Amino acid sequence: MSLKNSKITVIKIGSSLLIDHKKRVRKKWLTSFAEDVKNLRKLNQKIVIVSSGAIAMGCKKMNILKKNLKLDKSQAMASIGQIELMNLFSEIFSKFKINISQILLTLEDTEQRRRSINARRTFENLFNLNYIPVVNENDTIATSEIKYGDNDRLASRVAQIINADNLVLFSDVDGLYTDNPKKNNKAKLIKEIKDIEQDLTGVNIKGINEYGSGGMKTKIEAAKICQLSGSNMIIANGLKNHPIQHILNGDNYTLFVSKLSKLDARKKWILSSISPKGSVIIDDGANKALGNGKSLLAAGIKKVVGKFNKGDHIKVLNKKDKEIARGLASFSSDEIKKILGKHSNEIEKILGYVSKSEVIHKDDMVEII
Ligand code: GLU
């Protein structure tokens, strides 16, 4: 899905875009970026910004050199700088009446299913409140073993968690080249990559890692995560004012096209759930309907086992207790107990509120063959 048509977009900006080499904050640039974000919102996009800059802002405030800082010192700088960073965002984005919030994540938050589901709910609630979450790594507590250390991969995990259509990584170069463009004038910008392994053969990986803030290695790692999670990824030059507009205008950039559709990625994720929270036992009619790719309705459910919440992974069993599908429940186990066997148009009356009519929507369910 193109950036213009994207429904959920994650945009990552690096420290060098926010603070120049003379340690000046690039307010004019950030203002142009905020205006671009406002325009994306007019297209009804849900947006998350992943921003670096905590350590750089902390060092600026304390007048300390960022280079060669030890981990404990950089954590203190991140603590001092994160609030500066958010104040900056708040000051600039409020000019466009955009509400922002802060989310600090560690590697564990995005790698552990439970925590990532929690994070996902928070993102969804913030979208509903019309807030734009600004994410950074929780540098202050992340030790080296549990640290991303780069916001490229963190941003790709965020894209995966919230099922984004596009992730934009703004760098200080136009995209991924066949070699280091600063050293080799024959280096060419790669415009589109469909298969990372295949399309990168012949690319001087060592050379390309020497240019661009943070290097290209972590960006390729991020692209691998995106390709398997149904999200496209763009590496583009963010230095110019109105960086998003430049992409929409078709300027130079590198596009990594996702291998899986979002739907397939979602289904893969559902199947990979290690511990479903409960199960529902369904009748023959529902069993047949599921086989035809239909959603699971309350009418076909005979029994609920276990205690689970709305959004939890559950198993779907046939009358013989055989697992035939797995999916995300649209209702809690307590709610299903009240509505099982009932027609969908009775649900609202029984529960007393408007809700989805499917107990598991077909997009949230995978058949087990
Ligand atoms: N989380 C770090 C910071 O805000 C930056 C990590 C990165 O540059 O990718 O300073």
Side-chain angles (χ1 to χ4, degrees):
M1 190 182 284
S2 73
L3 182 58
K4 187 162 182 251
N5 297 322
S6 186
K7 292 196 173 67
I8 308 175
T9 309
V10 179
I11 306 165
K12 181 251 164 180
I13 53 184
S15 312
S16 62
L17 300 179
L18 288 170
I19 298 170
D20 68 16
H21 62 283
K22 286 190 175 152
K23 285 199 192 167
R24 286 176 304 210
V25 175
R26 300 179 72 226
K27 277 196 181 179
K28 211 170 151 196
W29 176 84
L30 190 59
T31 310
S32 80
F33 173 75
E35 195 174 0
D36 279 2
V37 168
K38 186 181 136 195
N39 289 334
L40 281 189
R41 283 239 287 206
K42 280 191 194 147
L43 301 170
N44 275 331
Q45 297 199 13
K46 292 174 180 159
I47 295 161
V48 172
I49 298 168
V50 176
S51 178
S52 309
I55 300 173
M57 292 291 267
C59 288
K60 177 178 157 61
K61 181 153 180 162
M62 301 303 284
N63 215 0
I64 285 177
L65 275 182
K66 193 178 164 201
K67 239 183 174 176
N68 305 329
L69 266 187
K70 292 250 164 60
L71 180 67
D72 57 341
K73 287 279 177 321
S74 67
Q75 288 180 315
M77 288 311 115
S79 169
I80 294 168
Q82 181 64 28
I83 190 163
E84 299 286 314
L85 183 66
M86 292 312 288
N87 279 342
L88 174 68
F89 267 91
S90 175
E91 176 197 328
I92 305 283
F93 278 70
S94 65
K95 288 184 188 160
F96 299 96
K97 299 197 168 50
I98 301 174
N99 293 316
I100 54 153
S101 68
Q102 171 186 279
I103 297 188
L104 298 178
L105 293 171
T106 56
L107 185 70
E108 284 177 313
D109 297 325
T110 60
E111 306 271 295
Q112 283 181 14
R113 193 159 301 281
R114 243 194 98 68
R115 286 162 85 152
S116 74
I117 290 171
N118 271 336
R120 179 200 179 104
R121 289 218 181 108
T122 308
F123 279 111
E124 278 167 3
N125 281 322
L126 288 164
F127 291 146
N128 291 339
L129 294 166
N130 219 10
Y131 269 67
I132 293 191
V134 180
V135 179
N136 197 358
E137 182 163 11
N138 196 349
D139 293 312
T140 54
I141 56 156
T143 58
S144 51
E145 308 86 70
I146 58 154
K147 215 170 151 41
Y148 274 107
D150 67 90
N151 276 358
D152 295 328
R153 283 176 307 159
L154 173 66
S156 66
R157 284 288 182 208
V158 170
Q160 184 179 38
I161 289 171
I162 62 170
N163 238 339
D165 302 292
N166 282 281
L167 163 65
V168 180
L169 297 180
F170 278 125
S171 176
D172 50 6
V173 287
D174 285 352
L176 185 66
Y177 286 81
T178 50
D179 200 348
N180 183 349
K182 288 176 184 157
K183 284 193 180 159
N184 179 355
N185 58 12
K186 289 207 181 81
K188 277 203 185 72
L189 180 78
I190 308 171
K191 297 227 161 146
E192 195 176 285
I193 294 177
K194 286 207 171 101
D195 186 315
I196 298 183
E197 304 302 334
Q198 213 177 326
D199 296 354
L200 288 189
T201 45
V203 170
N204 178 0
I205 299 285
K206 198 166 167 279
I208 59 167
N209 206 31
E210 293 162 357
Y211 73 93
S213 63
M216 286 292 145
K217 204 169 153 220
T218 54
K219 293 184 175 55
I220 294 170
E221 294 296 323
K224 286 181 183 165
I225 295 170
C226 283
Q227 287 214 319
L228 291 176
S229 54
S231 167
N232 287 342
M233 191 185 103
I234 292 169
I235 304 176
N237 196 331
L239 278 173
K240 298 172 247 176
N241 287 347
H242 292 290
I244 299 170
Q245 195 52 50
H246 281 289
I247 299 179
L248 296 176
N249 291 349
D251 276 16
N252 276 341
Y253 56 79
T254 302
L255 169 69
F256 291 81
V257 186
S258 174
K259 261 189 195 167
L260 287 174
S261 71
K262 253 175 56 161
L263 188 60
D264 287 345
R266 189 165 172 77
K267 294 202 163 181
K268 209 172 147 193
W269 175 73
I270 291 168
L271 264 185
S272 67
S273 161
I274 315 159
S275 52
K277 290 274 154 7
S279 46
V280 286
I281 297 161
I282 62 170
D283 64 20
D284 289 340
N287 195 347
K288 206 166 158 212
L290 259 49
N292 291 329
K294 298 265 168 37
S295 297
L296 177 64
L297 303 177
I301 299 177
K302 300 193 77 65
K303 201 177 156 197
V304 194
V305 181
K307 201 162 172 59
F308 50 87
N309 290 318
K310 190 172 153 175
D312 280 344
H313 286 79
I314 60 167
K315 291 183 194 174
V316 181
L317 310 176
N318 67 11
K319 281 194 317 199
K320 291 179 187 143
D321 268 355
K322 184 177 175 285
E323 183 176 359
I324 50 165
R326 195 173 285 201
L328 304 178
S330 305
F331 297 93
S332 69
S333 48
D334 288 342
E335 287 169 325
I336 300 176
K337 273 180 196 148
K338 291 182 196 158
I339 60 172
L340 58 83
K342 300 283 194 286
H343 196 274
S344 300
N345 59 19
E346 292 174 273
I347 295 179
E348 194 180 326
K349 212 171 137 216
I350 299 170
L351 296 179
Y353 43 82
V354 191
S355 61
K356 284 191 183 175
S357 56
E358 309 88 6
V359 173
I360 304 178
H361 190 274
K362 60 179 169 39
D363 291 351
D364 291 335
M365 185 161 45
V366 193
E367 246 194 294
I368 313 253
I369 306 161

